[in-house]
Amino acid sequence: MKLEQLSMFVTVAQVGSLSEASALLHKTQPAISQGIKQLENTLNFALFSRNGYRLELTSAGKTMFHKAMKLLDDAAQLKQVAHHIAQGNEVSITIAIEASFNLKGILPLLKNMQNQFPETQIIIRQEYITGAIEALLDGGADLCITPTMEFSAQEEKIEKHLLNSGSLINVASPLLLKRNPNLRQATDLLNEYQIIVQDSGTGSKNIEWGVQQGQRRWYVNDFPTKKMLIESAMGWGKLPGYLADEGIANNTLQMLSLSDVQNITPLKYYIIKKRGEVLGPVAEAVWEQFKNYQI
């Protein structure tokens, strides 16, 4: 069984005659007829009923027609992938993104990447705190998106482009605030639990930003869990602005106004690559698109 034979079979089944199939495939009618007969000999059953003027599919032929259509489609896609790789394009690229970044702002760009490079897998790797820049520098990602505070010590190793601004906002639930009516300072919350997202990298090892000595604390691995715990009055803490705003709009969260800490931490997010590293064609195209993209 050959793909060329299957192509002849499918074309004849679609147009209903050898002459029309001959014109479409740029092959002689005898060649097409011979190809289909060879396919039938391989299968040990007839694909067409040859009693009438037009060639009609047998019941077995109808089943084979649908299977052959799918197989030819898969073969065409396989050829596209092979051509894509032969041109030097990557099979996949990885973008590590620090989880406080709001992906909504780059959805149009991600869709464009999907349409422009359908044969390359785009892997979005979500990381926390120093995890995204660490993934880039360790070779686990081709590009990364992370805020400035997470890579200040790595400036000489990277090339960056500003994407947009964001923030982390100190919030708590109305119920937690109700049980702390005299709340003025962070020290008034020592007996409440501060909910903290763990760093997926090692850059903050032995460092806890924004955590006061003696503070009760819980650690979580993602912002949705942190938000849920805070909304349930099980603790307080900082959330990315877009998540905090969502909870504030729904009256499940309130912004804290503590006099002894920074309640809103401004952030600037950058798309970053390793300085001097030659990216593959797809990663380079993505980098250039990010550089020219306005959020």
Side-chain angles (χ1 to χ4, degrees), residues 251-282:
N251 296 316
T252 59
L253 294 173
Q254 289 185 25
M255 180 178 155
L256 295 176
S257 296
L258 306 173
S259 63
D260 56 341
V261 297
Q262 186 178 25
N263 294 292
I264 300 178
T265 303
L267 299 173
K268 288 185 178 181
Y269 292 94
Y270 289 81
I271 180 74
I272 306 170
K273 71 171 185 175
K274 283 189 197 177
R275 187 180 298 277
E277 182 172 271
V278 178
L279 298 173
V282 176

PDB file of all heavy atoms in Angstrom, residues 251-282:
ATOM      1  N   ASN A 251     -15.994  42.134  46.247  1.00  0.00           N
ATOM      2  CA  ASN A 251     -16.154  42.333  47.697  1.00  0.00           C
ATOM      3  C   ASN A 251     -15.697  41.124  48.524  1.00  0.00           C
ATOM      4  O   ASN A 251     -16.147  40.944  49.656  1.00  0.00           O
ATOM      5  CB  ASN A 251     -17.616  42.671  48.049  1.00  0.00           C
ATOM      6  CG  ASN A 251     -18.068  43.987  47.443  1.00  0.00           C
ATOM      7  OD1 ASN A 251     -17.342  44.973  47.490  1.00  0.00           O
ATOM      8  ND2 ASN A 251     -19.263  43.993  46.861  1.00  0.00           N
ATOM      9  N   THR A 252     -14.830  40.314  47.949  1.00  0.00           N
ATOM     10  CA  THR A 252     -14.259  39.199  48.709  1.00  0.00           C
ATOM     11  C   THR A 252     -12.903  39.571  49.297  1.00  0.00           C
ATOM     12  O   THR A 252     -12.367  38.854  50.129  1.00  0.00           O
ATOM     13  CB  THR A 252     -14.097  37.952  47.825  1.00  0.00           C
ATOM     14  OG1 THR A 252     -13.246  38.263  46.708  1.00  0.00           O
ATOM     15  CG2 THR A 252     -15.453  37.474  47.309  1.00  0.00           C
ATOM     16  N   LEU A 253     -12.352  40.707  48.838  1.00  0.00           N
ATOM     17  CA  LEU A 253     -11.062  41.185  49.326  1.00  0.00           C
ATOM     18  C   LEU A 253     -11.127  42.686  49.561  1.00  0.00           C
ATOM     19  O   LEU A 253     -11.914  43.393  48.923  1.00  0.00           O
ATOM     20  CB  LEU A 253      -9.949  40.897  48.305  1.00  0.00           C
ATOM     21  CG  LEU A 253      -9.588  39.435  48.021  1.00  0.00           C
ATOM     22  CD1 LEU A 253      -8.591  39.365  46.879  1.00  0.00           C
ATOM     23  CD2 LEU A 253      -9.037  38.746  49.257  1.00  0.00           C
ATOM     24  N   GLN A 254     -10.258  43.152  50.451  1.00  0.00           N
ATOM     25  CA  GLN A 254     -10.070  44.578  50.651  1.00  0.00           C
ATOM     26  C   GLN A 254      -8.580  44.867  50.700  1.00  0.00           C
ATOM     27  O   GLN A 254      -7.799  44.066  51.239  1.00  0.00           O
ATOM     28  CB  GLN A 254     -10.722  45.052  51.955  1.00  0.00           C
ATOM     29  CG  GLN A 254     -12.245  45.047  51.923  1.00  0.00           C
ATOM     30  CD  GLN A 254     -12.847  45.630  53.183  1.00  0.00           C
ATOM     31  OE1 GLN A 254     -12.221  46.436  53.870  1.00  0.00           O
ATOM     32  NE2 GLN A 254     -14.064  45.214  53.501  1.00  0.00           N
ATOM     33  N   MET A 255      -8.208  45.988  50.126  1.00  0.00           N
ATOM     34  CA  MET A 255      -6.799  46.380  50.174  1.00  0.00           C
ATOM     35  C   MET A 255      -6.449  46.841  51.579  1.00  0.00           C
ATOM     36  O   MET A 255      -7.227  47.543  52.233  1.00  0.00           O
ATOM     37  CB  MET A 255      -6.550  47.513  49.176  1.00  0.00           C
ATOM     38  CG  MET A 255      -5.116  47.984  49.152  1.00  0.00           C
ATOM     39  SD  MET A 255      -4.871  49.265  47.919  1.00  0.00           S
ATOM     40  CE  MET A 255      -3.440  50.097  48.624  1.00  0.00           C
ATOM     41  N   LEU A 256      -5.279  46.420  52.055  1.00  0.00           N
ATOM     42  CA  LEU A 256      -4.818  46.815  53.381  1.00  0.00           C
ATOM     43  C   LEU A 256      -4.126  48.175  53.335  1.00  0.00           C
ATOM     44  O   LEU A 256      -3.461  48.509  52.342  1.00  0.00           O
ATOM     45  CB  LEU A 256      -3.855  45.774  53.942  1.00  0.00           C
ATOM     46  CG  LEU A 256      -4.446  44.384  54.230  1.00  0.00           C
ATOM     47  CD1 LEU A 256      -3.358  43.436  54.691  1.00  0.00           C
ATOM     48  CD2 LEU A 256      -5.556  44.476  55.253  1.00  0.00           C
ATOM     49  N   SER A 257      -4.290  48.941  54.394  1.00  0.00           N
ATOM     50  CA  SER A 257      -3.607  50.233  54.534  1.00  0.00           C
ATOM     51  C   SER A 257      -2.791  50.187  55.819  1.00  0.00           C
ATOM     52  O   SER A 257      -3.207  50.701  56.859  1.00  0.00           O
ATOM     53  CB  SER A 257      -4.626  51.378  54.571  1.00  0.00           C
ATOM     54  OG  SER A 257      -5.329  51.454  53.359  1.00  0.00           O
ATOM     55  N   LEU A 258      -1.644  49.540  55.737  1.00  0.00           N
ATOM     56  CA  LEU A 258      -0.776  49.368  56.902  1.00  0.00           C
ATOM     57  C   LEU A 258       0.315  50.426  56.872  1.00  0.00           C
ATOM     58  O   LEU A 258       0.982  50.626  55.854  1.00  0.00           O
ATOM     59  CB  LEU A 258      -0.158  47.965  56.888  1.00  0.00           C
ATOM     60  CG  LEU A 258      -1.176  46.804  56.784  1.00  0.00           C
ATOM     61  CD1 LEU A 258      -0.447  45.483  56.607  1.00  0.00           C
ATOM     62  CD2 LEU A 258      -2.073  46.776  58.008  1.00  0.00           C
ATOM     63  N   SER A 259       0.505  51.102  57.983  1.00  0.00           N
ATOM     64  CA  SER A 259       1.406  52.251  58.017  1.00  0.00           C
ATOM     65  C   SER A 259       2.883  51.879  58.030  1.00  0.00           C
ATOM     66  O   SER A 259       3.735  52.720  57.718  1.00  0.00           O
ATOM     67  CB  SER A 259       1.087  53.112  59.242  1.00  0.00           C
ATOM     68  OG  SER A 259       1.314  52.365  60.443  1.00  0.00           O
ATOM     69  N   ASP A 260       3.215  50.644  58.362  1.00  0.00           N
ATOM     70  CA  ASP A 260       4.623  50.271  58.522  1.00  0.00           C
ATOM     71  C   ASP A 260       5.171  49.401  57.392  1.00  0.00           C
ATOM     72  O   ASP A 260       6.301  48.920  57.480  1.00  0.00           O
ATOM     73  CB  ASP A 260       4.840  49.566  59.861  1.00  0.00           C
ATOM     74  CG  ASP A 260       3.951  48.341  60.026  1.00  0.00           C
ATOM     75  OD1 ASP A 260       2.938  48.244  59.307  1.00  0.00           O
ATOM     76  OD2 ASP A 260       4.265  47.491  60.880  1.00  0.00           O
ATOM     77  N   VAL A 261       4.392  49.167  56.341  1.00  0.00           N
ATOM     78  CA  VAL A 261       4.868  48.372  55.206  1.00  0.00           C
ATOM     79  C   VAL A 261       4.399  49.013  53.901  1.00  0.00           C
ATOM     80  O   VAL A 261       3.526  49.889  53.897  1.00  0.00           O
ATOM     81  CB  VAL A 261       4.357  46.908  55.263  1.00  0.00           C
ATOM     82  CG1 VAL A 261       4.879  46.182  56.472  1.00  0.00           C
ATOM     83  CG2 VAL A 261       2.841  46.873  55.196  1.00  0.00           C
ATOM     84  N   GLN A 262       4.988  48.559  52.797  1.00  0.00           N
ATOM     85  CA  GLN A 262       4.566  49.024  51.478  1.00  0.00           C
ATOM     86  C   GLN A 262       3.373  48.179  51.037  1.00  0.00           C
ATOM     87  O   GLN A 262       3.499  46.981  50.806  1.00  0.00           O
ATOM     88  CB  GLN A 262       5.725  48.878  50.479  1.00  0.00           C
ATOM     89  CG  GLN A 262       5.459  49.464  49.114  1.00  0.00           C
ATOM     90  CD  GLN A 262       6.671  49.335  48.194  1.00  0.00           C
ATOM     91  OE1 GLN A 262       7.507  48.455  48.376  1.00  0.00           O
ATOM     92  NE2 GLN A 262       6.757  50.203  47.200  1.00  0.00           N
ATOM     93  N   ASN A 263       2.208  48.797  50.927  1.00  0.00           N
ATOM     94  CA  ASN A 263       0.989  48.054  50.616  1.00  0.00           C
ATOM     95  C   ASN A 263       0.831  47.749  49.131  1.00  0.00           C
ATOM     96  O   ASN A 263       0.188  46.774  48.756  1.00  0.00           O
ATOM     97  CB  ASN A 263      -0.237  48.828  51.116  1.00  0.00           C
ATOM     98  CG  ASN A 263      -0.269  48.914  52.630  1.00  0.00           C
ATOM     99  OD1 ASN A 263      -0.461  47.926  53.309  1.00  0.00           O
ATOM    100  ND2 ASN A 263      -0.041  50.119  53.160  1.00  0.00           N
ATOM    101  N   ILE A 264       1.416  48.589  48.284  1.00  0.00           N
ATOM    102  CA  ILE A 264       1.414  48.336  46.844  1.00  0.00           C
ATOM    103  C   ILE A 264       2.860  48.315  46.363  1.00  0.00           C
ATOM    104  O   ILE A 264       3.581  49.305  46.509  1.00  0.00           O
ATOM    105  CB  ILE A 264       0.622  49.407  46.072  1.00  0.00           C
ATOM    106  CG1 ILE A 264      -0.838  49.449  46.540  1.00  0.00           C
ATOM    107  CG2 ILE A 264       0.686  49.130  44.569  1.00  0.00           C
ATOM    108  CD1 ILE A 264      -1.663  50.528  45.849  1.00  0.00           C
ATOM    109  N   THR A 265       3.289  47.183  45.830  1.00  0.00           N
ATOM    110  CA  THR A 265       4.645  47.050  45.305  1.00  0.00           C
ATOM    111  C   THR A 265       4.607  47.155  43.791  1.00  0.00           C
ATOM    112  O   THR A 265       4.075  46.260  43.111  1.00  0.00           O
ATOM    113  CB  THR A 265       5.257  45.698  45.701  1.00  0.00           C
ATOM    114  OG1 THR A 265       5.235  45.558  47.126  1.00  0.00           O
ATOM    115  CG2 THR A 265       6.687  45.574  45.191  1.00  0.00           C
ATOM    116  N   PRO A 266       5.098  48.247  43.202  1.00  0.00           N
ATOM    117  CA  PRO A 266       5.073  48.377  41.736  1.00  0.00           C
ATOM    118  C   PRO A 266       6.089  47.438  41.085  1.00  0.00           C
ATOM    119  O   PRO A 266       7.174  47.211  41.623  1.00  0.00           O
ATOM    120  CB  PRO A 266       5.442  49.845  41.508  1.00  0.00           C
ATOM    121  CG  PRO A 266       6.241  50.222  42.710  1.00  0.00           C
ATOM    122  CD  PRO A 266       5.694  49.416  43.863  1.00  0.00           C
ATOM    123  N   LEU A 267       5.716  46.895  39.941  1.00  0.00           N
ATOM    124  CA  LEU A 267       6.584  45.976  39.212  1.00  0.00           C
ATOM    125  C   LEU A 267       6.653  46.375  37.746  1.00  0.00           C
ATOM    126  O   LEU A 267       5.671  46.884  37.192  1.00  0.00           O
ATOM    127  CB  LEU A 267       6.067  44.538  39.311  1.00  0.00           C
ATOM    128  CG  LEU A 267       5.957  43.910  40.700  1.00  0.00           C
ATOM    129  CD1 LEU A 267       5.263  42.563  40.607  1.00  0.00           C
ATOM    130  CD2 LEU A 267       7.322  43.762  41.349  1.00  0.00           C
ATOM    131  N   LYS A 268       7.786  46.148  37.121  1.00  0.00           N
ATOM    132  CA  LYS A 268       7.923  46.307  35.680  1.00  0.00           C
ATOM    133  C   LYS A 268       8.321  44.955  35.096  1.00  0.00           C
ATOM    134  O   LYS A 268       9.284  44.342  35.561  1.00  0.00           O
ATOM    135  CB  LYS A 268       8.973  47.368  35.346  1.00  0.00           C
ATOM    136  CG  LYS A 268       8.526  48.783  35.656  1.00  0.00           C
ATOM    137  CD  LYS A 268       9.572  49.795  35.192  1.00  0.00           C
ATOM    138  CE  LYS A 268       9.086  51.218  35.459  1.00  0.00           C
ATOM    139  NZ  LYS A 268      10.084  52.230  34.989  1.00  0.00           N
ATOM    140  N   TYR A 269       7.574  44.511  34.098  1.00  0.00           N
ATOM    141  CA  TYR A 269       7.805  43.192  33.515  1.00  0.00           C
ATOM    142  C   TYR A 269       8.573  43.313  32.199  1.00  0.00           C
ATOM    143  O   TYR A 269       8.264  44.166  31.357  1.00  0.00           O
ATOM    144  CB  TYR A 269       6.476  42.482  33.273  1.00  0.00           C
ATOM    145  CG  TYR A 269       5.769  42.102  34.549  1.00  0.00           C
ATOM    146  CD1 TYR A 269       4.814  42.942  35.116  1.00  0.00           C
ATOM    147  CD2 TYR A 269       6.057  40.910  35.198  1.00  0.00           C
ATOM    148  CE1 TYR A 269       4.164  42.601  36.290  1.00  0.00           C
ATOM    149  CE2 TYR A 269       5.412  40.552  36.370  1.00  0.00           C
ATOM    150  CZ  TYR A 269       4.473  41.410  36.916  1.00  0.00           C
ATOM    151  OH  TYR A 269       3.836  41.062  38.082  1.00  0.00           O
ATOM    152  N   TYR A 270       9.564  42.433  32.046  1.00  0.00           N
ATOM    153  CA  TYR A 270      10.413  42.440  30.865  1.00  0.00           C
ATOM    154  C   TYR A 270      10.380  41.081  30.173  1.00  0.00           C
ATOM    155  O   TYR A 270      10.269  40.032  30.817  1.00  0.00           O
ATOM    156  CB  TYR A 270      11.863  42.740  31.247  1.00  0.00           C
ATOM    157  CG  TYR A 270      12.103  44.165  31.681  1.00  0.00           C
ATOM    158  CD1 TYR A 270      11.805  44.575  32.980  1.00  0.00           C
ATOM    159  CD2 TYR A 270      12.634  45.102  30.796  1.00  0.00           C
ATOM    160  CE1 TYR A 270      12.028  45.882  33.390  1.00  0.00           C
ATOM    161  CE2 TYR A 270      12.871  46.415  31.195  1.00  0.00           C
ATOM    162  CZ  TYR A 270      12.561  46.799  32.484  1.00  0.00           C
ATOM    163  OH  TYR A 270      12.774  48.094  32.889  1.00  0.00           O
ATOM    164  N   ILE A 271      10.496  41.096  28.842  1.00  0.00           N
ATOM    165  CA  ILE A 271      10.803  39.885  28.087  1.00  0.00           C
ATOM    166  C   ILE A 271      12.328  39.828  28.016  1.00  0.00           C
ATOM    167  O   ILE A 271      12.988  40.839  27.722  1.00  0.00           O
ATOM    168  CB  ILE A 271      10.173  39.900  26.678  1.00  0.00           C
ATOM    169  CG1 ILE A 271      10.534  38.607  25.916  1.00  0.00           C
ATOM    170  CG2 ILE A 271      10.547  41.129  25.884  1.00  0.00           C
ATOM    171  CD1 ILE A 271       9.796  37.383  26.376  1.00  0.00           C
ATOM    172  N   ILE A 272      12.894  38.658  28.299  1.00  0.00           N
ATOM    173  CA  ILE A 272      14.342  38.555  28.486  1.00  0.00           C
ATOM    174  C   ILE A 272      14.911  37.356  27.723  1.00  0.00           C
ATOM    175  O   ILE A 272      14.272  36.306  27.633  1.00  0.00           O
ATOM    176  CB  ILE A 272      14.680  38.381  29.985  1.00  0.00           C
ATOM    177  CG1 ILE A 272      14.038  39.503  30.801  1.00  0.00           C
ATOM    178  CG2 ILE A 272      16.181  38.367  30.207  1.00  0.00           C
ATOM    179  CD1 ILE A 272      14.120  39.274  32.297  1.00  0.00           C
ATOM    180  N   LYS A 273      16.097  37.540  27.175  1.00  0.00           N
ATOM    181  CA  LYS A 273      16.873  36.427  26.623  1.00  0.00           C
ATOM    182  C   LYS A 273      18.299  36.538  27.129  1.00  0.00           C
ATOM    183  O   LYS A 273      18.717  37.585  27.640  1.00  0.00           O
ATOM    184  CB  LYS A 273      16.836  36.428  25.095  1.00  0.00           C
ATOM    185  CG  LYS A 273      17.637  37.548  24.458  1.00  0.00           C
ATOM    186  CD  LYS A 273      17.736  37.337  22.949  1.00  0.00           C
ATOM    187  CE  LYS A 273      18.631  38.391  22.305  1.00  0.00           C
ATOM    188  NZ  LYS A 273      18.836  38.127  20.855  1.00  0.00           N
ATOM    189  N   LYS A 274      19.051  35.461  26.993  1.00  0.00           N
ATOM    190  CA  LYS A 274      20.466  35.498  27.393  1.00  0.00           C
ATOM    191  C   LYS A 274      21.245  36.406  26.450  1.00  0.00           C
ATOM    192  O   LYS A 274      21.068  36.343  25.231  1.00  0.00           O
ATOM    193  CB  LYS A 274      21.075  34.094  27.342  1.00  0.00           C
ATOM    194  CG  LYS A 274      20.719  33.189  28.490  1.00  0.00           C
ATOM    195  CD  LYS A 274      21.591  31.940  28.377  1.00  0.00           C
ATOM    196  CE  LYS A 274      21.048  30.815  29.207  1.00  0.00           C
ATOM    197  NZ  LYS A 274      21.863  29.586  29.035  1.00  0.00           N
ATOM    198  N   ARG A 275      22.102  37.214  27.020  1.00  0.00           N
ATOM    199  CA  ARG A 275      22.926  38.108  26.214  1.00  0.00           C
ATOM    200  C   ARG A 275      23.926  37.294  25.381  1.00  0.00           C
ATOM    201  O   ARG A 275      24.598  36.386  25.888  1.00  0.00           O
ATOM    202  CB  ARG A 275      23.689  39.080  27.115  1.00  0.00           C
ATOM    203  CG  ARG A 275      24.443  40.171  26.348  1.00  0.00           C
ATOM    204  CD  ARG A 275      25.171  41.106  27.306  1.00  0.00           C
ATOM    205  NE  ARG A 275      24.243  41.801  28.175  1.00  0.00           N
ATOM    206  CZ  ARG A 275      23.567  42.907  27.840  1.00  0.00           C
ATOM    207  NH1 ARG A 275      23.720  43.408  26.633  1.00  0.00           N
ATOM    208  NH2 ARG A 275      22.756  43.484  28.706  1.00  0.00           N
ATOM    209  N   GLY A 276      23.976  37.589  24.088  1.00  0.00           N
ATOM    210  CA  GLY A 276      24.933  36.941  23.204  1.00  0.00           C
ATOM    211  C   GLY A 276      24.517  35.571  22.708  1.00  0.00           C
ATOM    212  O   GLY A 276      25.221  34.972  21.897  1.00  0.00           O
ATOM    213  N   GLU A 277      23.387  35.061  23.173  1.00  0.00           N
ATOM    214  CA  GLU A 277      22.956  33.732  22.728  1.00  0.00           C
ATOM    215  C   GLU A 277      22.226  33.820  21.389  1.00  0.00           C
ATOM    216  O   GLU A 277      21.372  34.685  21.188  1.00  0.00           O
ATOM    217  CB  GLU A 277      22.034  33.085  23.767  1.00  0.00           C
ATOM    218  CG  GLU A 277      21.596  31.682  23.371  1.00  0.00           C
ATOM    219  CD  GLU A 277      20.846  30.986  24.493  1.00  0.00           C
ATOM    220  OE1 GLU A 277      21.508  30.339  25.320  1.00  0.00           O
ATOM    221  OE2 GLU A 277      19.613  31.104  24.537  1.00  0.00           O
ATOM    222  N   VAL A 278      22.577  32.920  20.474  1.00  0.00           N
ATOM    223  CA  VAL A 278      21.916  32.871  19.175  1.00  0.00           C
ATOM    224  C   VAL A 278      20.671  31.990  19.303  1.00  0.00           C
ATOM    225  O   VAL A 278      20.782  30.789  19.571  1.00  0.00           O
ATOM    226  CB  VAL A 278      22.855  32.312  18.087  1.00  0.00           C
ATOM    227  CG1 VAL A 278      22.120  32.233  16.755  1.00  0.00           C
ATOM    228  CG2 VAL A 278      24.095  33.178  17.959  1.00  0.00           C
ATOM    229  N   LEU A 279      19.516  32.590  19.127  1.00  0.00           N
ATOM    230  CA  LEU A 279      18.261  31.844  19.223  1.00  0.00           C
ATOM    231  C   LEU A 279      17.957  31.142  17.913  1.00  0.00           C
ATOM    232  O   LEU A 279      18.450  31.535  16.849  1.00  0.00           O
ATOM    233  CB  LEU A 279      17.106  32.796  19.569  1.00  0.00           C
ATOM    234  CG  LEU A 279      17.194  33.531  20.910  1.00  0.00           C
ATOM    235  CD1 LEU A 279      16.079  34.560  21.017  1.00  0.00           C
ATOM    236  CD2 LEU A 279      17.128  32.542  22.066  1.00  0.00           C
ATOM    237  N   GLY A 280      17.133  30.103  17.977  1.00  0.00           N
ATOM    238  CA  GLY A 280      16.643  29.453  16.775  1.00  0.00           C
ATOM    239  C   GLY A 280      15.713  30.388  16.021  1.00  0.00           C
ATOM    240  O   GLY A 280      15.276  31.416  16.554  1.00  0.00           O
ATOM    241  N   PRO A 281      15.357  30.055  14.783  1.00  0.00           N
ATOM    242  CA  PRO A 281      14.521  30.942  13.956  1.00  0.00           C
ATOM    243  C   PRO A 281      13.189  31.306  14.605  1.00  0.00           C
ATOM    244  O   PRO A 281      12.773  32.463  14.560  1.00  0.00           O
ATOM    245  CB  PRO A 281      14.306  30.130  12.681  1.00  0.00           C
ATOM    246  CG  PRO A 281      15.457  29.192  12.619  1.00  0.00           C
ATOM    247  CD  PRO A 281      15.778  28.851  14.045  1.00  0.00           C
ATOM    248  N   VAL A 282      12.508  30.325  15.213  1.00  0.00           N
ATOM    249  CA  VAL A 282      11.201  30.601  15.810  1.00  0.00           C
ATOM    250  C   VAL A 282      11.359  31.458  17.060  1.00  0.00           C
ATOM    251  O   VAL A 282      10.663  32.467  17.234  1.00  0.00           O
ATOM    252  CB  VAL A 282      10.464  29.285  16.142  1.00  0.00           C
ATOM    253  CG1 VAL A 282       9.138  29.584  16.850  1.00  0.00           C
ATOM    254  CG2 VAL A 282      10.203  28.481  14.873  1.00  0.00           C
TER     255      VAL A 282
END
